[in-house]
Amino acid sequence: MKEIFAIVRMNKTGATKKALVEAGVAGFTAVKVSGRGKLVDDPAVVAGRKAAMMALADADEAGAEALIDGFLDGHRLFPRRLFIILAHDEDVPKIIEAIMQANRTEHKVGDGKIFVMPMLDAIRVRTGESGKDAV
């Protein structure tokens, strides 16, 4: 058994849920989280990301540039969605592929991360079933 943690963009929550259901995932948990990836020090990369974010921002939104600067210099966290999925070992590759397909964008960064970890045991509270039967 495996535990899969997928951190994705907030605007990809619906697509991720749909992809998981289509991949045959029986259940999962989704939680709002905040975080950030690696801070980039290269001024050319930062300028390129700022230009891309400004293009996506609402032109009438007051303070959009200051907000974007805060994200780029490390003072602000990005809102994300964390999906937690328990899966049988044989289902992990198709679940990972479904998450990747639902979340891959044309952006160079920020599409998310997927972590897969071994799970020692699972217990269904209602019935007391454990192991694979609980998943």
Side-chain angles (χ1 to χ4, degrees):
M1 294 183 299
K2 300 284 190 242
E3 187 172 25
I4 302 168
F5 290 94
I7 302 170
V8 304
R9 295 176 188 270
M10 290 296 283
N11 66 342
K12 293 292 189 171
T13 300
T16 303
K17 290 190 298 187
K18 182 178 179 185
L20 289 171
V21 170
E22 289 175 355
V25 175
F28 51 86
T29 300
V31 182
K32 291 180 183 178
V33 295
S34 297
R36 62 169 303 107
K38 286 195 278 184
L39 190 60
V40 177
D41 294 329
D42 184 350
V45 172
V46 171
R49 289 183 184 173
K50 182 175 180 179
M53 290 174 79
M54 285 298 290
L56 295 173
D58 184 357
D60 296 330
E61 184 178 324
E65 186 168 356
L67 183 64
I68 290 169
D69 284 340
F71 283 132
L72 294 176
D73 71 9
H75 288 96
R76 295 193 181 260
L77 300 175
F78 292 94
R80 294 288 188 247
R81 184 73 69 178
L82 170 65
F83 283 87
I84 305 167
I85 303 120
L86 306 180
H88 298 289
D89 291 354
E90 62 271 12
D91 296 331
V92 170
K94 74 177 177 182
I95 293 170
I96 291 171
E97 184 60 29
I99 294 168
M100 289 176 59
Q101 290 298 320
N103 288 280
R104 189 172 287 140
T105 67
E106 295 178 13
H107 301 288
K108 294 183 179 176
V109 296
D111 285 346
K113 293 274 193 290
I114 301 171
F115 304 95
V116 180
M117 291 166 275
M119 185 174 38
L120 299 177
D121 201 2
I123 297 105
R124 186 182 316 269
V125 174
R126 179 177 51 85
T127 64
E129 294 169 296
S130 65
K132 290 185 176 193
D133 292 335
V135 177

